[in-house]
Amino acid sequence: MQEILEQALKEGRAQIEKGEVASYIPELAKADKNHLGICIFTKEGERFEAGDTQTRFSIQSISKVISLAMALEKCGFERVFEKIGMEPSGDAFNSLIKLDMVSDAPYNPMINSGAIAVTGFLTEVVSFETMLEFARKLCMDPQIEVNRAVFYSEMENLSRNRAIAYLLESKGVIKTNVESCLELYVQMCSLNVTAKSLAGLGLVLANGGMHPESGARLLDPDVVRIVKTIIFTCGMYDGSGEFAVSVGIPTKSGVGGGLLSVVNKKMGIGIYGPSLDKKGNSIAGRAALKYLSEHLGLHMFAS
Amino acid sequence: MQEILEQALKEGRAQIEKGEVASYIPELAKADKNHLGICIFTKEGERFEAGDTQTRFSIQSISKVISLAMALEKCGFERVFEKIGMEPSGDAFNSLIKLDMVSDAPYNPMINSGAIAVTGFLTEVVSFETMLEFARKLCMDPQIEVNRAVFYSEMENLSRNRAIAYLLESKGVIKTNVESCLELYVQMCSLNVTAKSLAGLGLVLANGGMHPESGARLLDPDVVRIVKTIIFTCGMYDGSGEFAVSVGIPTKSGVGGGLLSVVNKKMGIGIYGPSLDKKGNSIAGRAALKYLSEHLGLHMFAS
Amino acid sequence: MQEILEQALKEGRAQIEKGEVASYIPELAKADKNHLGICIFTKEGERFEAGDTQTRFSIQSISKVISLAMALEKCGFERVFEKIGMEPSGDAFNSLIKLDMVSDAPYNPMINSGAIAVTGFLTEVVSFETMLEFARKLCMDPQIEVNRAVFYSEMENLSRNRAIAYLLESKGVIKTNVESCLELYVQMCSLNVTAKSLAGLGLVLANGGMHPESGARLLDPDVVRIVKTIIFTCGMYDGSGEFAVSVGIPTKSGVGGGLLSVVNKKMGIGIYGPSLDKKGNSIAGRAALKYLSEHLGLHMFAS
Amino acid sequence: MQEILEQALKEGRAQIEKGEVASYIPELAKADKNHLGICIFTKEGERFEAGDTQTRFSIQSISKVISLAMALEKCGFERVFEKIGMEPSGDAFNSLIKLDMVSDAPYNPMINSGAIAVTGFLTEVVSFETMLEFARKLCMDPQIEVNRAVFYSEMENLSRNRAIAYLLESKGVIKTNVESCLELYVQMCSLNVTAKSLAGLGLVLANGGMHPESGARLLDPDVVRIVKTIIFTCGMYDGSGEFAVSVGIPTKSGVGGGLLSVVNKKMGIGIYGPSLDKKGNSIAGRAALKYLSEHLGLHMFAS
């Protein structure tokens, strides 16, 4: 396994040059493009690591997974999906088009409009401290904190998400205070994680919501099933379909360079690789995952 | 199993009233709304049936699966996906919007524009007779024929698909004779199948492309993997995401009332239920599948 | 003339029942649907009135004309139209679609996104007091004030315009403080005018920007030409083309029920009629104008 | 006048380099980019010419004006505008988006979808010979013929317009034979005219539909008023609004390089200049018209 992992790292590194680190906020642009770390946690308790697995980076969109899970736990399926869809949008992650035109609901909780709507529900029922505690537990990483520099940098460059949030308010999707909702949204995006934290989160999801060691139930199995399915169909923005075909592992990406992968019933994989492809997904991480999928037979529809 | 199947049939029947048979061509409007048949073929060779499993009906969009498989076998992955995407479109099945606006390629091979493009490739390399033979083999049903009445009815009501085909020609996606391509497309849609034929097709796909009895290889395993993934993410039109969450079984629907479901490595399920919901999917079939998924644990992401 | 005017009033009144007063903010919903007033000021100094010409109502979108004129005077053609187009949008007045999708610039200064962008420029160079003074002069009505009730009602229901403004900020169109810009925008929309004030404004524009009595130049003739053209092609939201064909008089509408019409080189017409058609234009005012156009030969393209 | 005309020619020529001749069909690509001819016919019977006013070229989209006039004469306003709008579309000339998405009717008769719909009506009531005779009379040019080379070249490259036509059929807008409709549409586009023919047509429209010499009524005055308004708001594709502001003369362009301009009640202007700007309008012709508008005071909204 370690050998295959090392080779996956190599395959990933070969792609780094073709991508770019995110630059829409200054703080993200400081990331070292050449970083790449991969971490695998199996249900049996094995842990494999290669590359930059200690580096902390902001979780960004991968926090959408945690927020969705919490919203489903706290508000229930009916409430969450009354105003948010479950369909892949076929559009870029920060698009307003679909929201405005086709329907009065965001397409799914993995795009910004959907995640901001989810955060609107959360704002009404939980504090940020509760969310932080929840994130630490799910990632099995008690050291997760808000990255202040990223948080402030995002808050200063929030026009587009603010536009989305006010549009959601105008459509009656967000009923709480918009600015509080946006603050919580940005706090969640600014959580500092490592490849290991993501592997932990992946393993909890792969394990049906139970802590792999203690056996404690952290999430309802139905919530976990829903979350995994949505990650699979919507997790890689408008490249989700192609990724499902090529790699076939439910994976959520963040522009901070993170990838959270869930190999159902088997393992969690966490990756950090801030060089992004044009759709905003880690370019090296993707190559590494493809290699792992092929050599470990992890594709959901492998025969 | 038979008991669960009977109950699934019952659950399905309870939904029939809420739907309508397709009416866009006169021939489809003649279907008996109350028909419902379900058929399960397992890898172990068991066969279960309930309801109207002998009734022949036109395969319609489920033929897109057969055409895609043949195109991948004959032209290869690169050629097929050079001009056709793999992303769920988030739009209705016969939309021109996405084709026209966002890109020069159809979103995926399960919507009309993508399937017509696939048929364009096929028109260059195979005859209809070859396609018919192929369909019979994959469905393990030598009695499949073109339903003449449906074929002529569709040919007389082809304006929208003709518009799509000429738009594809104008974008250089279709390079063969457009009218021949359309004829082959409609012939494939007009194939007369039963719930059993679809269970057969489902089993071949579940079995990685091998004939479940003879062990003969009918399809390349890579082709099967690709096809199953695309069915999962794009098979139920703009209801694919919600269906994946609720039912979690790769399924392709047709407006003739058919559903083809693939329970990977385990079984094929074929359903006939011509009463459709608003997205064009069998309303009773969907309810029956949901019941089966829950009671047999067939959800892809079940914990 | 007075006779024709009375008849136009009658024609207008016959349509009132078919429309509805604006209801998107509570304050507007209080308007008396049955009000209708028409006022004509000619270049020769004649003034004709019929109906409710003394009633004050909020100017709403007609303020877009005043703001555009001021922006052209203060910032110049190049600056204003570097980031705002001049094309009719073919979409409803408060749409985000076109802004988001086709280009990075609002389609024209008569839709909300364009007018908010114009107000962004103004926020940098003039105070509200200057704008108020300007409005009073152009309308030849020193009693124009902000309608406080309308102002606060709008400020409390601003989500959609706020979404538009932040989207414009995210695209670099608005570079000033967004909330200040929105406040000025709403203040301008809340100006209280009468049918007479609008007839005054119309006459100033018809007269090439000169005060009809004193001969004082209030606006640059190029500015007036630009403003009149844009009113003609974009003044009635997505009904502008049909209105140009049927009535043929450059006219800007507001959801408060006002209509500002400019009969080039001849007269200004001001109308108040708060019963609106589905596109948000005064339904009685439109009918009255059509009658006037036909009986006074006011169509721009009359032979 | 002749002097101003010569100067306008010079102004136009200076722009030629910045444009390109149309290349979407081989036959149009053969045009000499450097050609430029301008012709003015006044109501008083004066005729002014400069440059290449004898060169024949295909009328292309300017035929939409003739077809609309005939449809209004033969079928009446109600019939024509029951299924075709009068709104500028804000989209490019050959777009399918608006047709497909917002409504079931083409936006206006000056874009391809609208003109094809108009031709559908015509196909039911007149022969091509009648249309040809009509075109000759309106243009006061008995030598107009179909340019065979252009006709066949267009017929061979018709996929996009064919797509539009079948989409219109699917929506019930075209009820006649689609291929016959397309043939008539292409025949009309292939009519060979000169700058003089277009000046003639412009003068007839400026003159309210009466032959300027014989005084014979060629068109109903209402039809002329409608046609002129639509040319003003929709004649220059998605550059119509900007052109109205800058030049202010109702003008219809064709990708063959022609411009038909109507100075209401005064004159017709015909231009040939096949070097096109990015929106498909004659780049030199536009510059020449702007010069004429400014120096002869022809802007509709000049003070």
Side-chain angles (χ1 to χ4, degrees):
Chain A
M1 177 78 104
Q2 186 66 33
E3 208 171 306
I4 289 173
L5 187 56
E6 297 289 349
Q7 187 58 33
L9 193 77
K10 228 168 150 179
E11 297 282 331
R13 280 193 179 134
Q15 301 299 318
I16 286 175
E17 270 318 299
K18 297 179 191 158
E20 294 296 339
V21 300
S23 59
Y24 75 99
I25 59 165
E27 205 54 37
L28 286 180
K30 294 181 187 165
D32 181 346
K33 184 173 168 173
N34 290 307
H35 274 174
L36 183 60
I38 314 175
C39 199
I40 299 179
F41 286 10
T42 73
K43 209 173 157 181
E44 289 71 31
E46 294 167 305
R47 298 185 167 208
F48 304 91
E49 297 183 32
D52 308 298
T53 55
Q54 311 292 336
T55 315
R56 294 229 163 236
F57 57 94
S58 58
I59 190 169
Q60 297 296 339
S61 285
I62 303 172
S63 67
K64 292 176 166 90
V65 175
I66 298 169
S67 296
L68 174 61
M70 181 61 111
L72 288 169
E73 293 275 339
K74 290 281 181 186
C75 313
F77 184 87
E78 296 300 327
R79 171 84 202 286
V80 170
F81 291 110
E82 184 196 340
K83 303 251 176 159
I84 305 175
M86 287 176 256
E87 299 308 313
S89 75
D91 290 320
F93 69 99
N94 55 2
S95 178
L96 284 172
I97 305 176
K98 273 296 176 47
L99 176 65
D100 196 48
M101 200 157 61
V102 183
S103 68
D104 281 341
Y107 260 61
N108 67 66
M110 294 294 117
I111 55 175
N112 286 13
S113 58
I116 291 171
V118 163
T119 310
F121 301 148
L122 292 177
T123 307
E124 297 176 41
V125 294
V126 295
S127 65
F128 168 65
E129 284 63 36
T130 307
M131 289 303 299
L132 176 59
E133 210 41 62
F134 186 63
R136 286 171 174 169
K137 239 192 273 174
L138 290 186
C139 294
M140 304 188 293
D141 174 1
Q143 287 166 39
I144 292 176
E145 295 286 359
V146 165
N147 180 325
R148 289 281 129 194
V150 168
F151 174 72
Y152 289 119
S153 196
E154 301 250 22
M155 287 306 288
E156 268 169 35
N157 292 277
L158 206 58
S159 336
R160 194 171 184 92
N161 284 332
R162 196 167 259 130
I164 290 173
Y166 281 108
L167 188 61
L168 289 169
E169 182 184 58
S170 80
K171 288 174 180 294
V173 177
I174 291 185
K175 292 182 172 165
T176 187
N177 181 278
V178 170
E179 296 294 331
S180 305
C181 166
L182 285 167
E183 193 182 55
L184 179 55
Y185 177 77
V186 176
Q187 282 171 318
M188 291 303 295
C189 288
S190 308
L191 294 182
N192 244 0
V193 294
T194 65
K196 288 165 87 166
S197 340
L198 299 180
L201 174 54
L203 178 53
V204 169
L205 294 171
N207 201 31
M210 298 218 300
H211 193 287
E213 287 152 28
S214 71
R217 174 150 299 287
L218 304 177
L219 292 169
D220 183 89
D222 281 347
V223 166
V224 175
R225 198 195 70 237
I226 295 163
V227 166
K228 284 187 285 198
T229 312
I230 290 177
I231 291 176
F232 190 67
T233 57
C234 312
M236 301 292 275
Y237 304 122
D238 50 330
S240 300
E242 192 272 331
F243 185 85
V245 167
S246 305
V247 181
I249 304 172
T251 300
K252 179 73 201 91
S253 63
V255 291
L259 289 178
L260 156 73
S261 297
V262 184
V263 182
N264 205 23
K265 299 182 186 176
K266 291 190 190 148
M267 61 179 80
I269 308 176
I271 296 185
Y272 173 53
S275 182
L276 307 180
D277 64 19
K278 281 172 189 166
K279 305 208 163 182
N281 302 317
S282 173
I283 198 163
R286 188 210 140 89
L289 270 179
K290 186 155 198 276
Y291 184 86
L292 291 174
S293 173
E294 284 167 3
H295 290 78
L296 298 173
L298 306 180
H299 196 295
M300 285 292 297
F301 293 102
S303 298
Chain B
M1 176 78 108
Q2 186 66 34
E3 208 170 305
I4 290 174
L5 187 56
E6 297 290 349
Q7 188 57 34
L9 192 76
K10 232 168 149 178
E11 298 281 331
R13 277 190 182 138
Q15 302 299 319
I16 286 176
E17 271 317 299
K18 298 179 190 161
E20 294 297 336
V21 300
S23 60
Y24 75 99
I25 61 166
E27 204 54 38
L28 286 180
K30 293 181 187 165
D32 181 345
K33 183 173 167 172
N34 291 306
H35 274 175
L36 181 61
I38 313 175
C39 199
I40 299 179
F41 286 11
T42 71
K43 209 173 158 182
E44 290 69 31
E46 292 167 305
R47 297 186 168 208
F48 304 91
E49 296 184 33
D52 308 296
T53 56
Q54 312 290 335
T55 315
R56 293 226 164 239
F57 58 94
S58 57
I59 190 168
Q60 298 296 339
S61 285
I62 304 173
S63 67
K64 292 175 166 87
V65 175
I66 299 170
S67 295
L68 174 60
M70 181 59 112
L72 287 170
E73 292 275 338
K74 290 282 181 185
C75 312
F77 185 87
E78 296 300 327
R79 173 81 201 287
V80 169
F81 290 109
E82 184 195 340
K83 303 252 178 161
I84 304 175
M86 286 176 256
E87 299 308 314
S89 74
D91 290 323
F93 71 98
N94 56 1
S95 176
L96 284 171
I97 303 175
K98 273 297 177 48
L99 175 63
D100 197 47
M101 200 155 63
V102 185
S103 68
D104 280 343
Y107 259 59
N108 68 66
M110 293 296 117
I111 55 174
N112 285 12
S113 57
I116 291 171
V118 162
T119 310
F121 302 148
L122 292 177
T123 308
E124 297 177 41
V125 293
V126 296
S127 66
F128 168 66
E129 284 65 35
T130 306
M131 289 303 299
L132 177 58
E133 209 42 61
F134 185 64
R136 286 172 173 168
K137 240 193 272 176
L138 290 185
C139 295
M140 303 187 293
D141 174 359
Q143 286 166 41
I144 292 175
E145 295 284 1
V146 164
N147 180 324
R148 288 283 129 197
V150 168
F151 174 74
Y152 289 119
S153 195
E154 301 248 22
M155 287 304 289
E156 268 169 35
N157 294 278
L158 207 57
S159 335
R160 191 168 185 94
N161 283 331
R162 196 167 259 130
I164 290 172
Y166 281 108
L167 188 61
L168 290 169
E169 182 183 59
S170 80
K171 288 175 181 294
V173 176
I174 292 186
K175 292 185 171 164
T176 186
N177 182 279
V178 170
E179 295 294 331
S180 306
C181 165
L182 284 167
E183 193 181 57
L184 179 55
Y185 177 77
V186 177
Q187 283 171 317
M188 290 303 294
C189 287
S190 308
L191 294 182
N192 244 359
V193 293
T194 65
K196 290 166 85 165
S197 339
L198 298 181
L201 174 53
L203 179 53
V204 169
L205 294 172
N207 202 31
M210 299 219 297
H211 192 287
E213 286 152 28
S214 72
R217 175 150 296 288
L218 303 177
L219 291 169
D220 183 89
D222 281 347
V223 166
V224 176
R225 198 195 69 237
I226 296 163
V227 166
K228 283 187 286 198
T229 312
I230 290 177
I231 291 176
F232 189 67
T233 56
C234 312
M236 300 293 273
Y237 306 124
D238 50 331
S240 301
E242 191 274 330
F243 185 85
V245 168
S246 305
V247 182
I249 304 172
T251 299
K252 180 74 201 88
S253 64
V255 290
L259 289 178
L260 155 73
S261 298
V262 185
V263 182
N264 205 24
K265 300 184 186 175
K266 292 192 189 145
M267 60 179 79
I269 306 175
I271 296 184
Y272 172 55
S275 183
L276 307 180
D277 64 21
K278 279 169 190 169
K279 305 207 163 184
N281 302 316
S282 173
I283 198 163
R286 190 209 137 90
L289 270 179
K290 186 152 197 276
Y291 185 86
L292 290 174
S293 173
E294 284 167 4
H295 289 78
L296 297 174
L298 307 181
H299 196 295
M300 285 292 297
F301 292 101
S303 297
Chain C
M1 176 78 106
Q2 187 65 32
E3 208 170 307
I4 290 174
L5 187 55
E6 297 290 350
Q7 188 56 36
L9 193 77
K10 230 167 150 179
E11 297 282 332
R13 278 189 180 140
Q15 301 299 317
I16 286 175
E17 271 318 299
K18 298 179 192 159
E20 293 297 339
V21 299
S23 59
Y24 74 100
I25 60 166
E27 205 54 39
L28 286 180
K30 294 181 187 165
D32 180 345
K33 183 174 168 173
N34 291 306
H35 274 175
L36 182 61
I38 314 175
C39 199
I40 299 180
F41 286 10
T42 72
K43 208 173 158 181
E44 289 72 30
E46 294 167 303
R47 296 184 167 208
F48 304 91
E49 295 182 32
D52 309 297
T53 55
Q54 311 292 336
T55 315
R56 294 230 163 236
F57 58 95
S58 59
I59 190 168
Q60 297 296 340
S61 285
I62 304 173
S63 67
K64 293 176 165 89
V65 174
I66 298 170
S67 295
L68 174 60
M70 182 59 112
L72 288 169
E73 293 275 337
K74 290 282 180 187
C75 312
F77 184 86
E78 297 299 327
R79 173 82 202 287
V80 170
F81 291 110
E82 184 195 341
K83 301 253 177 159
I84 305 175
M86 288 176 256
E87 299 308 314
S89 75
D91 290 323
F93 69 99
N94 55 2
S95 176
L96 284 172
I97 304 176
K98 275 296 177 48
L99 176 64
D100 197 47
M101 200 156 62
V102 185
S103 67
D104 280 341
Y107 259 61
N108 68 66
M110 294 295 117
I111 54 176
N112 286 12
S113 58
I116 291 171
V118 162
T119 309
F121 301 149
L122 291 177
T123 306
E124 297 176 41
V125 293
V126 296
S127 65
F128 168 64
E129 285 63 37
T130 307
M131 288 304 298
L132 176 60
E133 210 41 63
F134 185 63
R136 287 172 174 167
K137 238 194 270 176
L138 289 186
C139 294
M140 304 187 292
D141 175 359
Q143 287 165 40
I144 294 175
E145 295 285 0
V146 165
N147 180 324
R148 289 282 129 194
V150 168
F151 173 73
Y152 289 118
S153 197
E154 301 249 21
M155 287 306 288
E156 268 169 36
N157 294 277
L158 206 58
S159 336
R160 195 173 183 89
N161 284 331
R162 196 166 260 130
I164 290 173
Y166 282 107
L167 188 61
L168 290 169
E169 183 183 57
S170 81
K171 288 174 180 292
V173 176
I174 291 185
K175 293 184 172 163
T176 187
N177 182 280
V178 170
E179 295 294 331
S180 306
C181 165
L182 284 167
E183 193 182 55
L184 179 56
Y185 177 77
V186 177
Q187 283 171 318
M188 291 303 294
C189 288
S190 307
L191 295 181
N192 243 0
V193 294
T194 65
K196 288 165 86 166
S197 339
L198 299 181
L201 174 54
L203 179 53
V204 168
L205 294 172
N207 201 31
M210 298 217 300
H211 192 287
E213 286 153 27
S214 71
R217 176 151 296 288
L218 304 177
L219 292 169
D220 183 90
D222 281 348
V223 166
V224 176
R225 197 195 72 237
I226 295 163
V227 166
K228 284 187 286 199
T229 311
I230 289 176
I231 291 176
F232 190 67
T233 56
C234 312
M236 302 291 275
Y237 304 122
D238 51 330
S240 300
E242 192 273 330
F243 186 85
V245 167
S246 304
V247 181
I249 304 173
T251 300
K252 180 72 201 90
S253 63
V255 290
L259 289 178
L260 154 74
S261 298
V262 185
V263 183
N264 205 23
K265 299 183 186 175
K266 291 192 190 145
M267 61 180 79
I269 306 176
I271 296 184
Y272 172 55
S275 183
L276 307 180
D277 65 19
K278 281 171 191 167
K279 305 206 164 185
N281 302 316
S282 173
I283 198 164
R286 190 209 137 91
L289 270 180
K290 185 153 199 276
Y291 185 86
L292 291 174
S293 173
E294 283 168 3
H295 289 79
L296 298 173
L298 305 182
H299 196 294
M300 284 293 296
F301 293 101
S303 298
Chain D
M1 177 75 109
Q2 185 66 32
E3 208 170 305
I4 290 174
L5 187 56
E6 297 289 348
Q7 188 56 33
L9 193 77
K10 233 167 148 178
E11 298 282 331
R13 277 189 181 139
Q15 301 299 317
I16 286 176
E17 271 317 300
K18 298 178 191 160
E20 293 298 338
V21 300
S23 60
Y24 74 100
I25 61 165
E27 205 54 39
L28 285 180
K30 293 181 187 166
D32 180 346
K33 182 175 169 172
N34 291 306
H35 274 174
L36 182 61
I38 312 174
C39 199
I40 298 178
F41 286 11
T42 72
K43 209 173 157 182
E44 290 71 31
E46 292 167 305
R47 296 184 168 210
F48 304 91
E49 295 183 33
D52 308 297
T53 55
Q54 311 292 334
T55 315
R56 293 228 164 238
F57 58 95
S58 57
I59 189 167
Q60 298 295 341
S61 286
I62 304 173
S63 66
K64 291 176 166 86
V65 174
I66 298 170
S67 295
L68 173 61
M70 181 60 112
L72 288 170
E73 293 274 337
K74 290 281 181 187
C75 312
F77 184 87
E78 297 299 327
R79 172 82 202 286
V80 169
F81 291 109
E82 185 196 339
K83 303 254 177 159
I84 305 175
M86 287 175 255
E87 300 307 314
S89 75
D91 290 323
F93 71 98
N94 54 2
S95 177
L96 284 172
I97 305 175
K98 274 298 178 47
L99 176 62
D100 197 47
M101 201 156 62
V102 185
S103 70
D104 280 343
Y107 260 60
N108 69 66
M110 294 295 117
I111 54 174
N112 285 13
S113 58
I116 291 171
V118 162
T119 309
F121 301 148
L122 291 177
T123 308
E124 296 177 41
V125 293
V126 296
S127 65
F128 169 65
E129 284 65 37
T130 307
M131 288 304 297
L132 177 59
E133 209 41 63
F134 185 62
R136 286 171 174 168
K137 241 194 269 176
L138 290 185
C139 295
M140 303 188 292
D141 174 0
Q143 286 165 41
I144 293 175
E145 295 284 1
V146 164
N147 180 325
R148 288 283 128 195
V150 168
F151 173 74
Y152 288 119
S153 195
E154 301 248 22
M155 288 305 288
E156 270 169 35
N157 293 277
L158 206 58
S159 336
R160 193 170 183 92
N161 284 331
R162 196 167 260 129
I164 290 172
Y166 281 107
L167 187 61
L168 289 168
E169 183 183 57
S170 80
K171 288 174 180 293
V173 177
I174 292 186
K175 292 184 171 164
T176 187
N177 182 280
V178 170
E179 295 294 330
S180 305
C181 165
L182 283 167
E183 192 182 58
L184 179 55
Y185 177 77
V186 177
Q187 282 171 318
M188 291 303 294
C189 288
S190 307
L191 294 182
N192 244 359
V193 294
T194 65
K196 290 165 85 165
S197 338
L198 298 180
L201 174 53
L203 180 52
V204 169
L205 294 172
N207 202 32
M210 299 220 296
H211 193 286
E213 286 153 26
S214 72
R217 175 149 298 287
L218 304 178
L219 292 170
D220 183 88
D222 281 347
V223 167
V224 176
R225 197 195 71 238
I226 296 162
V227 166
K228 282 187 287 200
T229 312
I230 290 176
I231 291 176
F232 190 67
T233 55
C234 313
M236 301 292 275
Y237 305 122
D238 51 330
S240 299
E242 191 273 332
F243 185 84
V245 167
S246 305
V247 181
I249 304 172
T251 299
K252 180 74 202 88
S253 63
V255 291
L259 290 178
L260 155 73
S261 298
V262 184
V263 182
N264 204 23
K265 300 184 185 173
K266 292 193 189 143
M267 60 178 80
I269 307 177
I271 297 186
Y272 173 53
S275 183
L276 307 180
D277 64 20
K278 279 168 190 169
K279 304 208 162 183
N281 302 316
S282 173
I283 198 163
R286 190 209 138 89
L289 269 179
K290 186 152 198 276
Y291 184 88
L292 290 174
S293 173
E294 284 166 3
H295 289 79
L296 297 174
L298 306 180
H299 196 294
M300 284 292 296
F301 292 102
S303 298

